[in-house]
Amino acid sequence: MAEYVISTDSTADLPDSYVDKYNIVIQDLGFSFGDELYRGVSEMDHKTFYDRVRNGDVAKTNASIPGAVKASFKEILDQGKDILHLAFSSGLSASYNVATIVAEELAEEYPDRKIIVIDSLCAAPGQGLFVYLGCENQVKGMSLEDNAKYLEDIKLHVVHEFTVEDLKYLARGGRISKSSAVIGNIINIKPVLRVDNEGHLVATAKVRGRKASLNKLVENMGSHICDEYKNDIVFIGHGDCLEDAEYVAERVKEQFGVDKFMINFLSPTIGAHAGPGTVALFFLGRERE
């Protein structure tokens, strides 16, 4: 059985220490501020990114670059290894299509190697949790094909719940109207959103006040968790608001007994559209609604 490497996009928001430990290959999704182009957080750290957005700079994001993905894949294949690529949701980015096209091109050049590309239908640390599950299986000795099947079967059970602090970023991306954003901010309305079965963002609730929105994330977790899918670890992402992320973690620990968390920044790819102050909760549960 050939050795295989797990690859994913930078949108998985995994800590560098975890990436290094499991030898995960990361495909960078870039972003820009005007004419300033950045390959990823290796060229601008999360804190600087969110400070600039708070100060009014408008960030734009890009899908993965075909040439860079191809070079990355070729380097793995040249080592005699196969590839399991877990892509950012096709409902939010073209990166899955990029990886699929590259894999098809390389299949002709490397007929003895295997590349499996999975549309995770996940985003942010939800994608990170998806990759985590794949890495756990790989460490246990699961084959490339069996791991891919497991992940295909479980991906719609990776539940994404998140809320934002400032509605103007959702309005800028066309997810709500500008007038709704202005009025909502004035009366302190906070939406709670979810990633659906097609990998798109959908609003599921509106509450008044920041603390209420954070509590709603935990409440929604309670309606989705079940005995069939155990949560030994829960992932939480934040847009430079660590205290709020830790508050959510404490509530999850109190209510559901989870004591292991992976808390990390949301990547610029997500932060550009959701904004500073975003908090997102990811766990396994009943299939998304």
Side-chain angles (χ1 to χ4, degrees):
M1 182 172 63
E3 183 179 353
Y4 65 96
V5 171
I6 291 179
S7 165
T8 193
D9 300 309
S10 55
T11 46
D13 298 337
L14 291 163
D16 291 340
S17 58
Y18 186 85
V19 170
D20 293 341
K21 179 179 179 180
Y22 290 95
N23 298 312
I24 303 166
V25 173
I26 300 295
Q27 313 299 335
D28 284 319
L29 274 68
F31 61 94
S32 62
F33 287 107
D35 295 331
E36 302 172 36
L37 304 178
Y38 297 91
R39 185 179 61 181
V41 293
S42 60
E43 297 182 355
M44 178 184 289
D45 65 86
H46 292 96
K47 181 66 177 174
T48 301
F49 170 81
Y50 280 105
D51 283 345
R52 289 192 61 168
V53 173
R54 281 194 179 96
N55 289 332
D57 287 352
V58 177
K60 295 185 178 180
T61 59
N62 306 307
S64 52
I65 300 171
V69 175
K70 190 169 187 176
S72 174
F73 282 6
K74 281 177 66 69
E75 183 177 350
I76 297 169
L77 299 172
D78 285 338
Q79 297 171 14
K81 299 176 182 178
D82 296 333
I83 299 171
L84 177 58
H85 180 71
L86 309 179
F88 183 30
S89 172
S90 64
L92 298 171
S93 170
S95 294
Y96 165 70
N97 291 331
V98 168
T100 299
I101 292 170
V102 168
E104 291 172 351
E105 293 174 351
L106 291 175
E108 298 181 6
E109 188 175 343
Y110 295 85
D112 296 329
R113 298 268 58 84
K114 296 177 182 176
I115 306 175
I116 297 179
V117 178
I118 295 179
D119 180 1
S120 72
L121 297 177
C122 295
Q127 184 184 346
L129 175 55
F130 191 67
V131 174
Y132 172 90
L133 296 171
C135 288
E136 290 293 296
N137 290 338
Q138 184 184 38
V139 169
K140 294 174 183 175
M142 188 176 286
S143 70
L144 170 66
E145 292 82 0
D146 287 346
N147 203 355
K149 182 181 185 306
Y150 168 87
L151 292 169
E152 284 285 5
D153 290 343
I154 204 169
K155 66 185 181 183
L156 293 182
H157 295 279
V158 180
V159 185
H160 301 49
E161 297 280 344
F162 72 99
T163 188
V164 302
E165 173 66 14
D166 192 326
L167 297 176
K168 72 179 180 182
Y169 300 100
L170 294 179
R172 186 180 293 163
R175 302 196 181 280
I176 61 173
S177 69
K178 291 183 179 179
S179 59
S180 294
V182 171
I183 294 171
N185 281 334
I186 290 173
I187 62 177
N188 203 22
I189 292 296
K190 308 298 180 186
V192 177
L193 303 99
R194 180 177 299 152
V195 174
D196 67 12
N197 286 351
E198 284 73 48
H200 300 111
L201 302 182
V202 294
T204 60
K206 296 178 182 178
V207 297
R208 180 164 291 179
R210 175 65 162 179
K211 189 61 67 69
S213 69
L214 299 178
N215 290 335
K216 186 65 174 177
L217 297 179
V218 182
E219 178 185 330
N220 287 353
M221 180 176 176
S223 68
H224 273 86
I225 59 173
C226 57
D227 292 339
E228 185 177 355
Y229 299 97
K230 297 188 181 302
N231 284 283
D232 297 323
I233 185 171
V234 165
F235 281 48
I236 300 175
H238 66 93
D240 196 26
C241 52
L242 179 59
E243 288 187 5
D244 288 340
E246 290 176 336
Y247 171 80
V248 171
E250 189 59 33
R251 290 296 312 280
V252 170
K253 182 177 181 180
E254 290 173 357
Q255 293 199 28
F256 309 115
V258 178
D259 57 11
K260 186 177 180 182
F261 297 87
M262 189 175 289
I263 301 175
N264 200 21
F265 279 97
L266 295 167
S267 71
T269 302
I270 302 299
H273 300 285
T278 300
V279 177
L281 177 64
F282 308 92
F283 54 91
L284 293 177
R286 297 183 180 88
E287 188 168 324
R288 308 169 192 172
E289 298 172 357

